[in-house]
Amino acid sequence: MGAYILRRVLLMIPTILGIMAISFAVIQFAPGGPVEQVIAKLTGQGGDAAGRLSGGGGDSGAAGNFDATGEGSSKYRGAQGLDPEFIARLEKQFGFDRPPLERFGKMLWDYLRFDFGDSYFRDISVLDLILEKMPVSISLGLWITLLSYLISIPLGIRKAVTDGSSFDLWTSAVVIVGYAIPGFLFAVLLMVFFAGGSFYDWFPLRGLISENWSQLSWPARIADYFWHLTLPLTAMVLSAFATLTLLTKNSFLDEIRKQYVVTARAKGLSERRILYGHVFRNAMLIVVAGFPGAFISAFFTGSLLIENIFSLDGLGLLGFRSVLDRDYPVVFATLYIFSLLGLVVNLISDLTYVWIDPRIDFERRDV
């Protein structure tokens, strides 16, 4: 097992390198980079943001170097009329004065030491910014994973035991509908019906806690927290429980039809003992082993649209805004961290298989 883990860890290195290299290459051809963002603010919306950014580069008067009669730089769209020296200072501040390969190499070296630098457009380090937004995403990921498992496993077992019954048929219809409706669309419907839309105003639209949360008693704080979580969790659990329910049902059906179940019945064992004493462990192997991956998926990807819809200031909203703002340090840092965690979680999932069922031996498999 040690050799298998070592091989998997070593394979993470070229995987991470490939992910970062492809992403970095794509960014080089993407229009509207951070320099263009500052230029757009200067020429269209004023120079406040540009002045703040340029001040961070050591020249607080750079935003004032506007030459209306200058030739400008043809390298950036909308740069006509701006002093070329100002454009050069912006490039240096954002690190674009160096060749792409040099920038990529420096980024990899910094990321190996978990030095992600500072955000382009926020006066905070990228790591502190991620840690600041993480509690919201942890709340969503933890609760959605817990709720989906608590709902899906009992429901999937019941559907497998009563396969073909009326209960199985109507719950399958509910599961299929839940799987077919996108979570973000259901979130919009919940907002319209229950968050001050056209019908009821029962739940808040923004944040995880109220503004007066610090003034509330502990029971009131807990109630306020779950009051804010109700609609986002309801929207997210719809598709999550549908997939897991079908996986649980199919896994149990596959085990129930095996020969050892027939033999146990022939020996006179009760259905309950067969189900929970023999079938459960084998059928739950794939479900339980997938728990780490399910949590990471809900934590990082499943909450992106939900965070935007309900204005939850978590990692999903942070990543979305960073892409729009071309805040590359935040974009690459989150990509690096999420990719690394994803690879580690995949390894943990494989090891969980062995922990649940020692008969599995990855040493005999080719990696």
Side-chain angles (χ1 to χ4, degrees):
M1 181 57 66
Y4 171 77
I5 295 175
L6 179 60
R7 289 197 298 269
R8 287 290 297 270
V9 171
L10 292 177
L11 281 174
M12 291 180 186
I13 299 175
T15 304
I16 287 288
L17 285 175
I19 292 173
M20 299 305 295
I22 293 173
S23 302
F24 187 86
V26 170
I27 288 296
Q28 304 309 304
F29 299 99
V35 176
E36 288 93 331
Q37 295 288 323
V38 177
I39 292 173
K41 289 181 173 64
L42 274 174
T43 58
Q45 302 177 12
D48 292 341
R52 174 172 56 84
L53 291 167
S54 298
D59 185 359
S60 60
N65 292 335
F66 185 92
D67 182 7
T69 61
E71 291 295 330
S73 172
S74 60
K75 184 177 180 180
Y76 300 104
R77 182 180 299 176
Q80 288 77 12
L82 291 177
D83 189 342
E85 293 184 1
F86 170 59
I87 301 297
R89 280 194 289 270
L90 280 180
E91 290 181 332
K92 183 176 182 180
Q93 179 177 329
F94 291 124
F96 294 145
D97 58 326
R98 290 173 290 182
L101 287 179
E102 182 180 343
R103 285 188 281 123
F104 181 68
K106 182 180 185 303
M107 182 183 71
L108 290 181
W109 172 245
D110 291 339
Y111 282 13
L112 286 175
R113 298 177 288 120
F114 286 90
D115 178 10
F116 302 113
D118 297 328
S119 168
Y120 283 161
F121 303 105
R122 300 175 178 90
D123 190 20
I124 186 174
S125 70
V126 173
L127 190 58
D128 289 340
L129 185 61
I130 292 175
L131 294 176
E132 178 185 310
K133 310 299 183 183
M134 193 170 286
V136 173
S137 295
I138 288 179
S139 292
L140 292 174
L142 184 62
W143 285 113
I144 189 60
T145 306
L146 180 62
L147 286 175
S148 62
Y149 270 74
L150 289 177
I151 295 173
S152 301
I153 292 176
L155 181 58
I157 295 174
R158 177 72 185 278
K159 285 174 63 61
V161 173
T162 61
D163 184 41
S165 67
S166 58
F167 173 82
D168 180 45
L169 293 177
W170 73 261
T171 52
S172 294
V174 173
V175 168
I176 292 172
V177 171
Y179 184 78
I181 298 178
F184 72 89
L185 179 58
F186 192 60
V188 173
L189 292 176
L190 290 175
M191 290 176 60
V192 171
F193 280 96
F194 302 111
S198 303
F199 297 91
Y200 305 101
D201 190 8
W202 291 349
F203 298 97
L205 276 174
R206 182 178 299 273
L208 281 184
I209 55 176
S210 300
E211 293 181 359
N212 62 337
W213 189 81
S214 59
Q215 303 172 4
L216 301 175
S217 61
W218 277 109
R221 289 182 181 183
I222 295 174
D224 180 79
Y225 170 72
F226 284 106
W227 181 48
H228 284 75
L229 272 178
T230 300
L231 294 187
L233 286 183
T234 303
M236 293 177 66
V237 78
L238 187 67
S239 59
F241 103 91
T243 304
L244 190 56
T245 298
L246 293 177
L247 177 64
T248 304
K249 176 190 174 181
N250 293 333
S251 180
F252 269 80
L253 280 178
D254 184 57
E255 291 296 325
I256 288 173
R257 294 165 180 167
K258 289 186 176 179
Q259 185 61 42
Y260 73 88
V261 176
V262 177
T263 304
R265 285 173 178 162
K267 291 181 178 180
L269 296 181
S270 66
E271 288 295 325
R272 184 177 183 84
R273 185 174 179 183
I274 294 173
L275 182 64
Y276 293 101
H278 298 275
V279 174
F280 187 85
R281 180 178 180 179
N282 294 327
M284 288 301 295
L285 174 62
I286 188 172
V287 177
V288 175
F291 181 85
F295 173 69
I296 292 297
S297 177
F299 184 16
F300 294 126
T301 61
S303 63
L304 191 151
L305 291 174
I306 301 300
E307 287 184 16
N308 279 275
I309 292 173
F310 291 102
S311 298
L312 300 175
D313 198 11
L315 292 174
L317 189 60
L318 172 65
F320 177 74
R321 289 177 175 172
S322 298
V323 171
L324 292 181
D325 294 339
R326 302 300 193 270
D327 197 346
Y328 292 154
V330 179
V331 173
F332 282 118
T334 52
L335 176 66
Y336 177 79
I337 294 174
F338 296 169
S339 300
L340 185 61
L341 283 176
L343 292 172
V344 172
V345 166
N346 284 336
L347 176 59
I348 293 175
S349 296
D350 288 345
L351 298 180
T352 307
Y353 277 104
V354 179
W355 177 65
I356 296 175
D357 189 352
R359 295 173 299 176
I360 297 176
D361 187 3
F362 286 110
E363 291 288 355
R364 297 178 181 177
R365 295 174 53 195
D366 294 330
V367 180

